[in-house]
């Protein structure tokens, strides 16, 4: 009986070792596969006919940036993602769709697709939604911008808006060197950071689980007050201009609400 158990143990050990080796080899194959990307979509549009942009992506990261042409380009693995763009009533619509490749026996899910939209001019309206990819805006100008990221990162830099709205489920938000006249930001789980933020503008930040960090740059507040609400969290204001959470007459409100998370203003 003892000899039988030893034999069974050795057989099980050998099977485990071979399975582990197979898993490692498959991981290497998937890792190499994730690097084999190429341009899978490229289209240039006449900028005179576009003043709005609507991006709705299931399985792609997106970068929207300043450029010489109104252009949409996508890089990814051929046969995994279908891109579709069209212009209707002055709005450029950008969408993707993950293709059902039944011959793919992958057990790891790599994010292969990355969409880049270049803008040669400012927009009246910008609407961006991603469900498993990141959003990055660089040198983007729009009167109205509404951004939603389900899972991943939301990054905005060197941009300018009249009204900026963002909502994320499980994602961190990073904003730097960006101007706006009003900002509304919401998050279920994730940290919110804004550097070189505009002074004396109404800002509303709400996060369920996450910390909030705000930092002024060369522009310093003159008429701003801070309201903070939290179940478990503390507010720290290191900017010496604030006296009892207020600068000047407190005309412009920064409202921060967290369920679990601290807030810091520098």
């Amino acid at each position: 009986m003892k000899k039988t158990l030893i034999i069974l143990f050795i057989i099980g050990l050998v099977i485990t070792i071979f399975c582990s080796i197979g898993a490692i080899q498959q991981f290497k194959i998937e890792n190499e596969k994730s690097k084999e990307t190429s341009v899978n979509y490229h289209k240039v549009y006449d900028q005179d006919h576009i003043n709005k942009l609507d991006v709705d992506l299931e399985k792609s990261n997106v970068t929207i940036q300043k450029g010489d042409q109104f252009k949409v380009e996508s890089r990814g693995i051929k046969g995994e993602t279908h891109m579709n763009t069209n212009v209707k009533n002055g709005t450029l619509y950008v969408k993707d769709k993950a293709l059902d490749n039944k011959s793919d026996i992958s057990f790891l899910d790599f994010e292969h697709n990355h969409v880049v939209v270049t803008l040669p001019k400012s927009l009246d309206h910008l609407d961006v939604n991603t469900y498993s990819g990141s959003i990055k805006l660089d040198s983007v100008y729009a009167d109205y911008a509404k951004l939603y990221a389900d899972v991943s990162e939301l990054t905005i830099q060197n941009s300018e808006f009249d009204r900026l709205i963002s909502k994320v489920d499980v994602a961190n938000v990073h904003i730097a060197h960006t101007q706006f006249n009003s900002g509304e930001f919401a998050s279920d789980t994730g940290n919110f950071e804004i550097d070189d933020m505009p002074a004396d503008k109404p800002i509303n930040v709400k996060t369920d689980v996450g910390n909030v960090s705000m930092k002024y740059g060369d522009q310093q507040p003159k008429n701003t007050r801070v309201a903070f609400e939290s179940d478990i969290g503390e507010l720290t204001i290191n900017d010496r201009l604030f006296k009892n959470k207020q600068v000047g007459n407190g005309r412009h409100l920064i409202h921060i609400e967290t369920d679990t998370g601290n807030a810091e203003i520098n």
Side-chain angles (χ1 to χ4, degrees):
M1 181 69 178
K2 185 175 180 181
K3 184 177 180 181
T4 301
L5 290 175
I6 292 174
I7 293 173
L8 290 174
F9 173 78
I10 293 174
I11 292 173
L13 181 61
V14 171
I15 293 174
T16 301
I17 292 173
F18 274 102
C19 288
S20 298
I21 293 173
I24 292 171
Q25 289 300 115
Q26 183 67 17
F27 178 84
K28 290 180 178 179
I29 292 171
E30 293 295 326
N31 190 39
E32 289 301 316
K33 179 183 175 183
S34 69
K35 300 175 183 178
E36 297 172 358
T37 61
S38 59
V39 175
N40 54 29
Y41 191 87
H42 179 95
K43 195 165 185 178
V44 178
Y45 285 92
D46 183 356
Q47 61 175 298
D48 295 335
H49 299 132
I50 301 172
N51 50 39
K52 298 178 182 179
L53 175 63
D54 188 306
V55 179
D56 190 8
L57 301 174
E58 293 181 2
K59 197 180 178 182
S60 297
N61 302 318
V62 62
T63 297
I64 303 174
Q65 62 190 23
K66 185 178 180 180
D68 296 331
Q69 296 177 308
F70 222 124
K71 180 175 63 177
V72 179
E73 186 172 274
S74 174
R75 292 187 64 89
I77 292 180
K78 186 177 180 180
E80 290 201 351
T81 305
H82 173 72
M83 293 298 304
N84 180 46
T85 66
N86 67 289
V87 177
K88 184 178 180 180
N89 298 327
T91 300
L92 172 60
Y93 293 92
V94 180
K95 294 185 178 183
D96 73 346
K97 182 178 180 181
L99 299 178
D100 184 16
N101 188 352
K102 295 182 179 180
S103 65
D104 189 355
I105 59 172
S106 304
F107 68 94
L108 295 175
D109 186 17
F110 288 92
E111 290 295 343
H112 300 303
N113 220 58
H114 191 102
V115 177
V116 177
V117 182
T118 58
L119 309 175
K121 65 177 186 178
S122 62
L123 299 173
D124 294 339
H125 189 107
L126 172 63
D127 198 332
V128 183
N129 295 277
T130 65
Y131 297 95
S132 64
S134 63
I135 300 174
K136 181 179 180 181
L137 272 58
D138 189 358
S139 303
V140 173
Y141 303 87
D143 292 336
Y144 175 91
K146 186 176 182 180
L147 315 171
Y148 172 77
D150 191 7
V151 179
S152 200
E153 301 286 321
L154 171 58
T155 304
I156 307 171
Q157 60 188 27
N158 307 315
S159 298
E160 187 173 339
F161 311 94
D162 182 25
R163 185 181 180 189
L164 174 60
I165 302 172
S166 78
K167 186 180 187 305
V168 299
D169 280 347
V170 182
N172 294 321
V173 178
H174 309 277
I175 303 175
H177 312 294
T178 293
Q179 297 294 312
F180 50 83
N181 289 323
S182 69
E184 304 163 44
F185 310 98
S187 168
D188 285 344
T189 303
N191 296 322
F192 175 84
E193 298 179 359
I194 178 169
D195 292 329
D196 193 15
M197 72 175 181
D200 295 328
K201 305 296 181 183
I203 300 174
N204 187 56
V205 181
K206 185 181 185 304
T207 177
D208 291 342
V209 180
N211 297 319
V212 177
S213 175
M214 297 178 164
K215 184 178 181 181
Y216 287 103
D218 294 334
Q219 296 183 31
Q220 290 294 308
K222 297 180 180 179
N223 292 294
T224 295
R225 61 188 173 94
V226 179
F228 178 69
E229 301 177 51
S230 180
D231 293 336
I232 303 175
E234 297 181 353
L235 170 66
T236 302
I237 301 178
N238 297 317
D239 193 317
R240 296 182 179 181
L241 293 175
F242 283 89
K243 306 297 181 183
N244 296 321
K245 304 179 185 178
Q246 183 168 312
V247 180
N249 60 24
R251 175 185 175 187
H252 306 282
L253 175 63
I254 296 177
H255 183 251
I256 304 171
E257 183 179 352
T258 71
D259 288 346
T260 303
N262 300 319
E264 184 176 3
I265 298 177
N266 295 293

